[in-house]
Amino acid sequence: MSESSGGNPGGRGRGGAASGGTGGRGGGGKRDGSQRNAQGRERNRSAQRSFTGNAPSQRTRRADPARLVAFEVLRAVAAEDAYANLVLPARIRHHGLDKRDAGFATELSYGALRSQGTYDAILARCVDRPLDQLDPAILDALRIGTHQLLAMRVPAHAALDQTVGLARAVIGAGPSALINAVLRKVTAHSLEEWLELLVSGETDETKVASVRYAHPEWIVRAMRQSLVAHGRSAAEINDLLEADNAAPVVNLVALPGLGSLDEALENGATPGELVEGSALSSGGDLGRLASVREGSTRVQDVGSQLVARAMAAVDLGPRPASGQGGGTTEEAWLDLCAGPGGKAALLGALANASGATLLANEPAPHRAKLVSQALSAVPRNVWRVRTGDGRDVGSEQPKSFDRVLVDVPCSGLGALRRRPESRWRRTPKDLADLGPLQRDLLRSAIDAVRPGGVVAYVTCSPHPAETTAVVSDVLRKRDDLELLDAGAALDSVSLTGNLGAGHESTAQLWPHIHSTDGMFLALIRKKI
Ligand SMILES: C[S@@+](CC[C@H](N)C(=O)[O-])C[C@H]1O[C@@H](n2cnc3c(N)ncnc32)[C@H](O)[C@@H]1O
């Protein structure tokens, strides 16, 4: 374990890439205001289903840079377990794409990754052998071609020619003939027609939703179970799955007392409607904003802003004058799982404004460094970073903190819209594996908080196995804890005052209701 204060400038938040949509070499793009369809995909309304008469060998051998970027992203995700949201910007920079091509590459790679399960089901009907017997690079080229043909406003001939050209350039002439033949079969139907064919005769609603909304069946079941566990109707499932397929907006936060949204608003951002100090970005390179470069304005999902503000706003009553956690007039706050530092930065600013101090803990050294960077706009006397296991803090520093945020490692099922590949990578085993760590971290947080203090247990997943079950398991074994009304706490820091997120004292935000990530919040008070 180590502790440090201070940090480097330039903390940047993660950002969902905007789903751009130029037509690239062949398409008209969506600057005409075309609508996404029910699956969050663009209809190929203007696609001309005519093809060049050229044989594959006579067609282009050049890989169009935007499509090459998308292909490289899919390859890195499949072969190196890479994260698309990290690989994509690096490949865009490497190939020097302009804004229009970067938008095209983003839509193509994110769309092909999100809908992979559905596209594979379509491709399985067009290939004369099991898909797992195909070279994985060929399969990725087919997925890219399928997304252009079925879900982007790229004319069919351009989608086909360019995908075959890409395959010739990066895989070889032989496979390009196969890719040409398979993609021609894909063009036989529109996406809606393919979906009808795939679900025809299927009576199992989970299987139908899995194909229609491109989610693994176990996630469809898990999300339905999650809706019910948090007091919502199972009938919302299709809306929830659809929201996962829409490109998320990029939210900004001006660190309270330290930053201002003026520059962002002057550059096209619009004020956020759910929480004070937030804005919806107008897209583009946020690095052009000085306030973002300085770290006083940051990219942060509104759900994350709400849960951090709710923890900071809980009324703890008068502070004990001495003894456990007392002795000073300033409150001590702890962020137990802080990396990469999004909530720590907001908490640091709120701590600064209220005369509190913040200890931000993170075990992974490279992520602890990101926490320091995220906090760089907050005065250095306000915060420290501890690099160590959060499970040890409760025993090492018992009853030491007034407020503790424990934003545990989780499946991320509430943030699928931001990570296009994660739905196909996650397994039910992840939930089982994370359970013990989540419980240990919550117990450590509770040990670290002083009597009368509050612990905020947070996940970016609505699944009951990592939300309500963890909280009730830990609370059941102790009689010195009580649940505060987390829904009311969220309402108290929201601009609407009526989020409707509460259920049986805990609260759950939803992409399809609140347009936020699916953040869960439980507020646990240690009795005096
Ligand atoms: C959901 S993320 C936290 C996100 C962060 N609060 C933010 O807003 O940027 C969970 C973090 O917990 C960290 N973590 C994993 N194991 C941990 C442990 N044993 N103790 C503390 N943190 C841990 C992970 O490295 C990860 O950075």
Side-chain angles (χ1 to χ4, degrees), residues 415-466:
L416 294 181
R417 59 191 188 142
R418 295 197 188 279
R419 299 171 199 141
E421 74 283 353
S422 71
R423 68 188 70 179
W424 309 112
R425 206 174 253 174
R426 285 289 181 199
T427 69
K429 188 172 172 295
D430 296 331
L431 294 172
D433 290 349
L434 286 163
L437 176 61
Q438 291 165 343
R439 284 166 178 74
D440 286 349
L441 286 165
L442 177 53
R443 278 190 283 264
S444 176
I446 289 168
D447 289 343
V449 83
R450 67 157 170 92
V454 68
V455 172
Y457 177 82
V458 168
T459 61
C460 59
S461 163
H463 198 284
E466 40 192 356

Side-chain angles (χ1 to χ4, degrees), residues 150-169:
L150 299 185
M152 289 178 82
R153 304 190 73 234
V154 179
H157 65 84
L160 207 74
D161 274 5
Q162 292 294 336
T163 308
V164 171
L166 169 77
R168 283 180 68 78

